[in-house]
C-alpha cells in the first residue's frame, strides 16, 4: 500500500513539471506572407523591366496642354502649335503661315525632335536673313541647353515663293548672322576651359563650315 502511494505522488510531480515546461515554450509566430514578400529581393526579367520603362515613358509623354503662339511679319502671320507633355517637355507639331487670314503654307516638324522645357524658351523669328539673299527667313528654337541653343530654319525661296527647311542650319550651335561678311559664326565651350569657334557660309544651298578654331589648356 505504501508503495502504491509513493507511485501516485511521483506521477503527480512529473505531470506538474511537464505542464510547467510546456508553458515555458515560446509559441510559434505566424508570419504574414505579404510582410515576408516585402523583405525579399524581387528580380525582374529584361522584358519586365522594358515593359515598366515603356509604361513610365508613356505616362510622362501624355499631353497636358496645347496652345498656339503667333507673330506677324513680311506680310504673313506665323502660328506655332505647341504641345506640353506631363514631363514638362514642349514639342512643336507644326507651323502655319497665314496670308490675309488664309493658310499660305504649313511647316511640319518631326515628332520628338525638339528639346525645350519652358515656355520662355520658345523662341522664333521672321525678321532675319540667314542666307543673305535679301529675304527674311523663319527660325524656330530646336534644342536648349544650359548656355547653348540650336534652331530649325526655313529659308524663303524667291522662285517658289515658299519656305524650305535647311537641315544644315540645325547643326550650328549658337548661330549669329554677320551681314557684313555674309557668314554665320558659332561659339560655345565644352567644360570650363575649352572653347570652340566656327564660321559658316551659305554655298550651293547649304551652310558649310569654312573656319574652325579651338582654345583650351590642351591647345
Amino acid at each position: 500500500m505504501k508503495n502504491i502511494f509513493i507511485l501516485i505522488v511521483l506521477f503527480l510531480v512529473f505531470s506538474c513539471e511537464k505542464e510547467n515546461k510546456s508553458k515555458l515554450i515560446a509559441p510559434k509566430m505566424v508570419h504574414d506572407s505579404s510582410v515576408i514578400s516585402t523583405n525579399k529581393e524581387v528580380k525582374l526579367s529584361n522584358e519586365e523591366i522594358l515593359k515598366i520603362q515603356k509604361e513610365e515613358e508613356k505616362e510622362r509623354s501624355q499631353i497636358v496642354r496645347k496652345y498656339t503662339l503667333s507673330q506677324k511679319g513680311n506680310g504673313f502671320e506665323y502660328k506655332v502649335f505647341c504641345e506640353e507633355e506631363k514631363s514638362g517637355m514642349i514639342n512643336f507639331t507644326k507651323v502655319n503661315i497665314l496670308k490675309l487670314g488664309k493658310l499660305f503654307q504649313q511647316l511640319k516638324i518631326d515628332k520628338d525632335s525638339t528639346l525645350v522645357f519652358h515656355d520662355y524658351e520658345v523662341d522664333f523669328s521672321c525678321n532675319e536673313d540667314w542666307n543673305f539673299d535679301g529675304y527674311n527667313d523663319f527660325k524656330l528654337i530646336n534644342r536648349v541647353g544650359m548656355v547653348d541653343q540650336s534652331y530649325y530654319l526655313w529659308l524663303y525661296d524667291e522662285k517658289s515663293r515658299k519656305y524650305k527647311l535647311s537641315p544644315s542650319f540645325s547643326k550650328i550651335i549658337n548661330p549669329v548672322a554677320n551681314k557684313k561678311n555674309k557668314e554665320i559664326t558659332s561659339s560655345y565651350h565644352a567644360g570650363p576651359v575649352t572653347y570652340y569657334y566656327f564660321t559658316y557660309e551659305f554655298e550651293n544651298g547649304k551652310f558649310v563650315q569654312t573656319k574652325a578654331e579651338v582654345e583650351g589648356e590642351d591647345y
Side-chain angles (χ1 to χ4, degrees):
M1 185 71 178
K2 183 178 181 181
N3 291 336
I4 295 173
F5 177 76
I6 293 172
L7 289 174
I8 293 173
V9 172
L10 290 174
F11 176 78
L12 292 174
V13 170
F14 283 119
S15 297
C16 292
E17 288 181 355
K18 185 176 181 181
E19 183 179 355
N20 290 336
K21 287 182 180 180
S22 63
K23 291 181 179 180
L24 294 175
I25 298 175
K28 294 183 179 180
M29 297 297 293
V30 179
H31 296 283
D32 186 352
S33 59
S34 62
V35 175
I36 294 175
S37 62
T38 59
N39 296 327
K40 290 183 179 179
E41 182 179 356
V42 179
K43 293 184 178 180
L44 302 176
S45 65
N46 292 335
E47 291 77 11
E48 290 173 325
I49 294 174
L50 184 60
K51 183 179 180 181
I52 293 173
Q53 291 175 342
K54 286 183 178 180
E55 290 176 351
E56 291 176 347
E57 181 63 28
K58 185 178 180 180
E59 177 71 16
R60 290 193 297 267
S61 62
Q62 289 183 5
I63 305 301
V64 295
R65 183 166 67 110
K66 295 183 179 182
Y67 59 98
T68 305
L69 300 174
S70 63
Q71 186 178 123
K72 292 183 179 181
N74 310 315
F76 299 107
E77 181 180 6
Y78 305 84
K79 289 190 173 184
V80 180
F81 290 78
C82 307
E83 290 184 348
E84 182 180 346
E85 298 180 353
K86 194 172 183 179
S87 65
M89 182 178 290
I90 297 171
N91 282 307
F92 308 121
T93 57
K94 61 184 177 180
V95 177
N96 281 353
I97 302 177
L98 308 178
K99 188 171 185 178
L100 300 177
K102 295 183 179 180
L103 182 64
F104 173 79
Q105 185 181 356
Q106 186 175 92
L107 310 178
K108 295 184 179 180
I109 304 173
D110 292 337
K111 181 176 174 58
D112 299 327
S113 61
T114 305
L115 188 61
V116 177
F117 280 97
H118 305 283
D119 283 348
Y120 61 81
E121 293 177 343
V122 179
D123 175 30
F124 60 99
S125 63
C126 59
N127 56 0
E128 301 166 301
D129 179 11
W130 288 94
N131 60 345
F132 313 106
D133 63 350
Y135 294 92
N136 289 336
D137 308 305
F138 182 75
K139 184 185 72 172
L140 173 65
I141 190 71
N142 178 5
R143 293 179 179 271
V144 178
M146 294 294 291
V147 292
D148 303 321
Q149 291 82 37
S150 62
Y151 298 85
Y152 300 105
L153 180 68
W154 287 267
L155 299 170
Y156 185 78
D157 181 60
E158 181 185 7
K159 292 182 180 180
S160 64
R161 298 183 182 276
K162 297 286 186 179
Y163 287 89
K164 294 184 177 181
L165 180 66
S166 175
S168 58
F169 188 84
S170 297
K171 300 176 183 179
I172 304 176
I173 300 176
N174 303 328
V176 177
N178 187 329
K179 294 182 179 180
K180 183 179 179 180
N181 298 328
K182 293 186 177 182
E183 59 187 21
I184 307 297
T185 58
S186 167
S187 62
Y188 60 95
H189 67 85
V193 295
T194 305
Y195 292 82
Y196 297 88
Y197 303 94
F198 298 102
T199 301
Y200 298 83
E201 294 182 5
F202 191 74
E203 299 177 358
N204 300 320
K206 295 181 180 181
F207 290 94
V208 180
Q209 186 185 114
T210 56
K211 297 178 184 178
E213 182 181 354
V214 182
E215 293 181 0
E217 61 183 0
D218 296 329
Y219 295 91

